[in-house]
Amino acid sequence: MVGKRSGEGFVAHKAKLVNALSRTLAERLLLMDFTMGRKGLLGYIKALSGSNVVKIVPATNGSASEAQAAVKRLKVVCGACTSYLEDMAWIGDKTPMTLAEIRVCPDNSVKPNLGSIELSEAINRVLPFTSKDEKRPVFQCVLFRAKEGKLSVVASDGFRLAEVTLDYDDGEGEVLVHKDELRGIANALRKAKRVRLGFEASGDTLDGMSLIIDTEAIRYHWRGADGQFPDYQKLIPAEFNTVAHLDTIEAVKAVYSFRALSDNPKDYPIDLTIGEGKIVMANPDEKGEATIPADTDGQGSVRVDGRYLAEALKACGGMVDFKLVNAYSPMLFVNDGYQVLVMPLITPEAKAAMEQARQAEVPAEAEKKPKRSRKAKEPVAVA
């Protein structure tokens, strides 16, 4: 935090102190060997009046009575208001065990390599696609991967995958960060003026990495989680047979109408038929149908989970390109550096088509294999 040292304490602008505390993710703060609850300290600083400057120093014997001097405290001065804060103030049994240290320096110079808003939005757009299953810890994490001038922020729950790609020319690295540790970081980054993201060795293992995000007020540090994120790029089809360009707002409204028809709002399949300048949505039980205008190229059909479809469309927003290979391959939603991959629901017709495609691949692979030629037996020399 930017401020001025004052002996063992510091002097800072009240607004800057409030801004830094509001962007801190931890619930316990370490301030000059004093531990305090973040929410309580933030509320207290906001309530101070009489000056725009706050001075915080350790309490000394000369500024308190003998009984008070024996207690470990911090002295807070703001205008005509002077108060003393004890160690462990605003910390209860239910206060989460997350800790951050407040450091004060005259100037925290940050050379930005990403926009604060674009990084905030990238994290916000992939977090909903992380897994809630504790038995799949890797899918509970967000992947940050910098490679070949791009930063990819990726999350998946095994059925869906979301990826945001940003321009990044500050080296390479790869870190998995658990979704719970990223809670609140998107809102905090929105308040930052400068952001710099980087990777560094964690020091725990030879191949361990940590993710560092520096702002003008706070440094965020996450140690990489254990595990290996799957090679998701192999799942993204290289070619598509059907493409539709559509408005997500109208499509989401249509999907919600099918949810209202379903007995289970969390499980309602929808059949999509693409072609001839439109997308036709239909209930498999023939309870309803909706037609969405779209710019289409090619024809195709697929069955998808309605909840997954709505979430993918909402995450993309605006106009989106919907790309389809066939009824059993992953479908892709693309919108300006952001893409969501969704697995389809396999119908009997799709299963038959998939089996037929597999059988067609077997003879093709057999033809590619070179035939073994039998070598003629050489005569054995007789002595």
Side-chain angles (χ1 to χ4, degrees):
M1 185 187 69
V2 178
K4 183 179 179 181
R5 301 292 299 179
S6 176
E8 296 182 9
F10 67 89
V11 177
H13 197 281
K14 178 184 171 182
K16 291 185 177 180
L17 182 56
V18 169
N19 183 31
L21 293 178
S22 64
R23 289 159 54 182
T24 304
L25 303 182
E27 294 301 326
R28 298 177 183 228
L29 301 177
L30 184 61
L31 177 60
M32 294 180 287
D33 295 330
F34 291 77
T35 304
M36 298 184 179
R38 183 190 67 87
K39 291 182 179 179
L41 181 59
L42 175 59
Y44 170 71
I45 298 298
K46 285 183 176 180
L48 291 175
S49 60
S51 175
N52 293 327
V53 177
V54 177
K55 180 178 180 181
I56 302 179
V57 295
T60 60
N61 293 343
S63 60
S65 63
E66 294 182 1
Q68 293 175 329
V71 181
K72 185 179 180 182
R73 298 177 304 166
L74 282 178
K75 180 181 178 181
V76 181
V77 180
C78 181
C81 178
T82 301
S83 53
Y84 296 89
L85 306 180
E86 296 184 357
D87 190 27
M88 302 301 289
W90 299 296
I91 292 181
D93 296 336
K94 296 183 179 180
T95 305
M97 291 297 297
T98 52
L99 186 66
E101 183 179 359
I102 297 179
R103 297 177 181 176
V104 179
C105 59
D107 183 25
N108 186 22
S109 179
V110 175
K111 184 180 179 181
N113 57 9
L114 286 171
S116 59
I117 301 298
E118 65 176 357
L119 181 58
S120 170
E121 291 181 351
I123 296 173
N124 252 345
R125 297 179 86 176
V126 302
L127 274 177
F129 296 92
T130 53
S131 176
K132 298 179 181 178
D133 188 356
E134 295 183 356
K135 296 181 181 179
R136 311 182 78 180
V138 171
F139 286 139
Q140 289 189 305
C141 297
V142 174
L143 172 67
F144 293 83
R145 175 185 289 169
K147 188 176 181 180
E148 298 177 354
K150 297 291 183 179
L151 173 68
S152 297
V153 185
V154 190
S156 173
D157 60 3
F159 303 98
R160 304 167 299 167
L161 182 142
E163 178 189 34
V164 178
T165 304
L166 305 175
D167 291 331
Y168 180 85
D169 58 357
D170 202 4
E172 297 186 352
E174 181 175 325
V175 171
L176 279 174
V177 181
H178 196 277
K179 62 177 183 179
D180 291 344
E181 297 185 35
L182 294 173
R183 190 175 299 165
I185 183 62
N187 291 333
L189 290 177
R190 286 183 175 275
K191 301 177 182 178
K193 298 178 181 178
R194 297 181 298 277
V195 167
R196 182 177 183 84
L197 182 145
F199 303 86
E200 67 178 30
S202 64
D204 296 335
T205 58
L206 293 176
D207 58 348
M209 296 289 289
S210 294
L211 178 69
I212 308 295
I213 297 180
D214 272 314
T215 70
E216 76 285 353
I218 296 177
R219 161 172 277 209
Y220 302 93
H221 179 280
W222 295 276
R223 291 182 180 179
D226 295 331
Q228 185 69 34
F229 201 84
D231 189 359
Y232 66 93
Q233 293 178 337
K234 292 182 178 179
L235 298 174
I236 302 176
E239 297 179 355
F240 300 89
N241 297 321
T242 309
V243 178
H245 187 69
L246 67 146
D247 184 359
T248 58
I249 297 177
E250 295 300 321
V252 169
K253 290 180 180 178
V255 174
Y256 283 165
S257 68
F258 288 97
R259 183 179 65 178
L261 287 173
S262 176
D263 296 332
N264 185 357
K266 294 184 178 181
D267 183 14
Y268 53 104
I270 297 176
D271 288 331
L272 304 179
T273 303
I274 304 99
E276 300 179 354
K278 61 184 178 181
I279 296 178
V280 179
M281 299 184 182
N283 188 292
D285 298 331
E286 299 181 354
K287 291 183 179 180
E289 183 178 297
T291 301
I292 306 298
D295 295 330
T296 61
D297 182 8
Q299 296 183 348
S301 59
V302 66
R303 178 172 292 179
V304 61
D305 185 299
R307 181 165 60 94
Y308 288 173
L309 176 60
E311 291 175 355
L313 292 171
K314 288 179 64 178
C316 291
M319 302 299 294
V320 65
D321 287 329
F322 171 45
K323 301 183 179 182
L324 181 67
V325 180
N326 48 47
Y328 53 85
S329 297
M331 63 195 80
L332 190 65
F333 299 85
V334 181
N335 177 5
D336 190 22
Y338 177 62
Q339 57 184 7
V340 179
L341 196 72
V342 180
M343 298 300 294
L345 296 177
I346 304 299
T347 63
E349 294 79 9
K351 188 174 182 181
M354 182 168 51
E355 185 62 29
Q356 185 177 0
R358 287 178 179 175
Q359 292 177 0
E361 289 178 357
V362 174
E365 292 179 357
E367 291 179 0
K368 293 180 181 179
K369 293 182 179 179
K371 296 182 179 180
R372 295 183 179 180
S373 59
R374 294 185 178 180
K375 292 184 178 180
K377 292 184 178 180
E378 296 181 358
V380 180
V382 180

